[in-house]
Amino acid sequence: MESLISHYQQLLGLPSNWNVDNVDLSLPHKRVTIKLKYVGQDVTCPECKTSCSIYDHAPEQRWRHLDTMQFETILVARLPRVNCKKHGVKTASAPWADKHSRFTLMFEGFVVQLLQHCASTQAVASMLRLSWHSVDQIMRRAVARGMKRRDTEPIRHLGIDEKSFRAGHQYVTIMNDLDGGRVLDVVETRTTKATVKLLTSLAAKQRKRVLSVSVDMWKPFAHAVRKKAPQADIVHDRYHISKYLNDAVDAVRRQESRALKTAGDKTLIGSKYTWLRNPENMSDKQRADFDQLMTCELQTGTAWSLKNMFRAFWVLTTRDAAEYFFQYWSDAVDRSELKPMIKVKDMMARHIEGILNFTRHRTTNAVSEGLNSKIQLIKASARGFHSFKSYRTRILFYCGKLDMAI
Ligand SMILES: [Zn+2]
């Protein structure tokens, strides 16, 4: 028994004021229970770190530790309580665990590593015989650790995006560091107030040095940027504009398809995705079908051509060229007399400053898009998020590039 105790003493790497008092091995429960005892003369106050006398010992607590072989391993201890002159009677902190955790730090570190290799909370929970809730708590503490360690290095280009959350029109707003390819934070809803909160999650000195913020043409986002980072240019990038143009082409297709169908013409039926593809991404068969459709001189074909024409905007490098191109393209849209296209063009004209700003910053949408698809995967592998908090935790855990080590 003596050798077993000293063996565990070494394995646990306890500070000198903690001893292994007893090791109990239960074969039927496949469990090792290690009882620890405080042997120090005095103890530090958890609030002010002053060394104080021991008042008494708190009731027994248990912490799950890393398994010993296939045996679940539990640490048991009564934490000493201090009598601090300033703070009164307080329970000392355990060197092996976070304040409110039922797991040791080493165990939590192990869970974090497993989660990083396996995006399913449920899979990790069942592998370690833990509840979904316990794993969720461990993730939350890991994210809190990582967020605290974030530095205040300058961030040059931000991206702010909305993302639907749950069915119905519930949204979250996500702020990305476009150069660092990471999510900075997530808030509920997509209002000005929420976006202000998101921006103020950055340190003031960071916020003052932001050069540009890529946003959708959604007023609350721009309002919040004007308020909290007035020096930054608002940029409406390709990602956001393309989405509107695609939707407009689809609106033209739906209208036209209905009209043709009434006249007994099925040309456009089932062609929705054909109009979303770019020619260079089409297979030979898709290309042939597409060319066939284009010979029909449809309104949808015209709308598609206008959308496709706008792709040339994104390679322009000077503001003058971009301004000239936009005017030229706007005239072509007007001549088409296609209402959905004109509507988007008008909206773009109202936000022209932000669109032209693209030529200055050239922030790409690739980062936001990449993060979005990663978030989509997280969403799919989780069995629905109970709360916004869990959703935020996962986004930051997997896309925040945080240092979550224990
Ligand atoms: Zn104190």
Side-chain angles (χ1 to χ4, degrees):
M1 195 64 191
E2 273 312 306
S3 70
L4 191 64
I5 286 175
S6 77
H7 179 69
Y8 271 101
Q9 183 102 24
Q10 280 172 23
L11 274 181
L12 292 169
L14 293 170
S16 61
N17 46 13
W18 282 96
N19 270 359
V20 172
D21 192 34
N22 178 41
V23 177
D24 179 54
L25 181 66
S26 164
L27 287 175
H29 295 102
K30 289 209 164 172
R31 184 182 295 143
V32 184
T33 308
I34 305 166
K35 221 171 194 169
L36 305 176
K37 192 177 178 185
Y38 191 71
V39 291
Q41 290 302 310
D42 38 25
V43 70
T44 41
C45 166
E47 304 284 331
C48 62
K49 310 290 171 211
T50 311
S51 185
C52 310
S53 58
I54 298 174
Y55 178 73
D56 65 355
H57 289 82
E60 201 171 84
Q61 273 175 268
R62 302 165 73 81
W63 295 265
R64 168 113 183 246
H65 190 55
L66 294 174
D67 290 1
T68 311
M69 305 299 177
Q70 71 275 42
F71 286 72
E72 191 171 285
T73 303
I74 306 288
L75 303 190
V76 178
R78 290 184 67 186
L79 295 172
R81 299 207 298 168
V82 301
N83 191 0
C84 174
K85 283 202 182 78
K86 204 166 159 197
H87 298 100
V89 176
K90 292 272 169 196
T91 305
S93 35
W96 55 82
D98 253 0
K99 203 174 172 190
H100 297 294
S101 179
R102 294 179 293 111
F103 307 99
T104 66
L105 287 167
M106 281 172 85
F107 184 82
E108 294 204 5
F110 177 62
V111 175
V112 167
Q113 278 188 350
L114 272 185
L115 283 164
Q116 279 166 336
H117 290 96
C118 159
S120 160
T121 310
Q122 196 51 57
V124 171
S126 37
M127 199 187 311
L128 297 172
R129 305 176 304 279
L130 291 169
S131 68
W132 189 93
H133 182 74
S134 295
V135 178
D136 191 54
Q137 292 294 318
I138 291 172
M139 284 178 103
R140 270 182 214 193
R141 280 191 289 271
V143 166
R145 254 193 322 272
M147 292 294 270
K148 231 192 243 169
R149 285 177 191 158
R150 274 225 173 125
D151 58 35
T152 49
E153 290 289 292
I155 295 172
R156 307 249 172 244
H157 304 286
L158 290 176
I160 292 179
D161 260 311
E162 65 183 35
K163 189 125 191 71
S164 74
F165 168 58
R166 295 208 201 98
H169 293 279
Q170 288 195 57
Y171 290 91
V172 297
T173 306
I174 301 179
M175 180 166 70
N176 299 328
D177 164 12
L178 296 181
D179 301 311
R182 57 184 177 149
V183 173
L184 293 169
D185 213 339
V186 189
V187 291
E188 263 175 304
T189 75
R190 49 171 186 169
T191 59
T192 304
K193 198 175 157 199
T195 318
V196 162
K197 186 178 163 196
L198 200 52
L199 283 162
T200 42
S201 71
L202 290 177
K205 68 169 183 182
Q206 270 180 318
R207 215 165 54 227
K208 281 184 190 133
R209 297 175 71 179
V210 171
L211 299 177
S212 80
V213 189
S214 280
V215 290
D216 189 8
M217 293 178 283
W218 169 251
K219 285 223 172 65
F221 291 165
H223 284 327
V225 175
R226 286 279 156 270
K227 262 191 193 171
K228 290 294 160 185
Q231 81 291 347
D233 281 339
I234 287 175
V235 179
H236 302 305
D237 63 26
R238 182 174 189 165
Y239 171 65
H240 295 108
I241 305 291
S242 303
K243 191 177 163 295
Y244 285 105
L245 288 173
N246 276 328
D247 289 349
V249 172
D250 198 48
V252 172
R253 178 195 61 84
R254 272 183 282 128
Q255 261 173 24
E256 193 176 25
S257 181
R258 263 199 305 273
L260 288 176
K261 209 172 140 195
T262 320
D265 184 337
K266 293 182 176 171
T267 311
L268 275 173
I269 292 183
S271 71
K272 177 173 179 175
Y273 294 99
T274 307
W275 304 104
L276 290 174
R277 281 184 209 107
N278 290 325
E280 66 273 20
N281 299 334
M282 292 177 188
S283 68
D284 291 348
K285 166 86 171 70
Q286 285 167 345
R287 183 71 208 221
D289 290 349
F290 180 74
D291 288 346
Q292 176 60 35
L293 271 173
M294 285 304 266
T295 60
C296 301
E297 296 191 11
L298 298 157
Q299 289 180 348
T300 314
T302 308
W304 182 90
S305 300
L306 289 166
K307 172 195 88 167
N308 200 48
M309 185 177 160
F310 200 78
R311 293 171 74 198
F313 179 89
W314 306 110
V315 296
L316 300 172
T317 49
T318 68
R319 192 187 158 95
D320 281 351
E323 217 167 347
Y324 180 81
F325 178 91
F326 187 80
Q327 196 48 56
Y328 175 80
W329 179 79
S330 295
D331 293 344
V333 172
D334 282 336
R335 278 195 306 272
S336 77
E337 295 180 4
L338 296 169
K339 283 209 178 89
M341 298 302 289
I342 293 172
K343 209 173 138 196
V344 173
K345 183 265 301 172
D346 286 346
M347 179 172 68
M348 287 163 69
R350 286 197 300 276
H351 293 86
I352 191 64
E353 274 309 307
I355 298 174
L356 294 175
N357 276 341
F358 174 82
T359 57
R360 253 182 99 183
H361 298 281
R362 312 204 68 76
T363 38
T364 65
N365 48 308
V367 172
S368 294
E369 270 186 294
L371 289 170
N372 266 336
S373 54
K374 215 167 159 186
I375 292 167
Q376 208 52 46
L377 277 177
I378 296 168
K379 213 172 168 182
S381 73
R383 38 161 216 183
F385 290 101
H386 308 284
S387 67
F388 164 73
K389 269 188 181 169
S390 298
Y391 191 39
R392 175 179 178 269
T393 299
R394 275 156 188 77
I395 293 174
L396 290 169
F397 190 94
Y398 289 108
C399 309
K401 293 197 178 166
L402 295 168
D403 170 14
M404 298 181 289
I406 52 163

